[in-house]
């Protein structure tokens, strides 16, 4: 299975949208500072996930969510 995930920075309140096959491993990479785009906003927690059969489907949804650009759209998805 593959996943769309949304992380929330405890430090800054920012959101990060991504996709992967192993959520625990990916969260560990984010919180270890191994992901350049998130290392300055540690620590992160997972606030939302969606499951997909293929990586292609998960990435398609990731790009859709990243295209929203508005924080309110991401928060609306998290709260549903």
């Amino acid at each position: 299975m593959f996943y769309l995930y949304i992380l929330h920075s405890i430090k800054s309140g920012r959101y990060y949208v991504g996709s992967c096959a192993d959520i625990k491993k990916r969260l560990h990479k984010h919180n270890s500072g191994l992901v350049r785009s998130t290392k300055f906003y540690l620590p992160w927690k997972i606030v939302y996930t969606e499951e997909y059969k293929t990586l292609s489907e998960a990435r398609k949804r990731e790009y859709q969510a990243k295209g929203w650009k508005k924080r309110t759209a991401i928060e609306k998805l998290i709260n549903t």
Side-chain angles (χ1 to χ4, degrees):
M1 299 308 294
F2 298 92
Y3 302 90
L4 161 84
Y5 63 90
I6 299 177
L7 303 179
H8 185 252
S9 169
I10 296 167
K11 177 181 178 181
S12 70
R14 290 175 178 253
Y15 289 103
Y16 177 84
V17 179
S19 58
C20 67
D22 186 337
I23 292 177
K24 288 182 182 181
K25 188 175 180 181
R26 189 68 178 149
L27 179 62
H28 177 73
K29 283 186 177 185
H30 283 289
N31 282 328
S32 297
L34 300 175
V35 179
R36 185 172 33 156
S37 59
T38 62
K39 70 180 181 180
F40 299 108
Y41 308 106
L42 301 174
W44 293 90
K45 66 178 181 175
I46 296 174
V47 293
Y48 184 80
T49 61
E50 290 179 3
E51 193 173 284
Y52 294 92
K53 291 183 180 182
T54 67
L55 181 57
S56 175
E57 291 172 319
R59 289 254 165 91
K60 190 175 193 179
R61 180 69 163 150
E62 173 191 351
Y63 298 142
Q64 178 187 33
K66 284 183 174 180
W68 294 335
K69 299 291 184 196
K70 291 192 177 189
R71 179 183 185 93
T72 54
I74 291 174
E75 289 174 343
K76 184 178 178 182
L77 178 63
I78 292 168
N79 292 322
T80 57

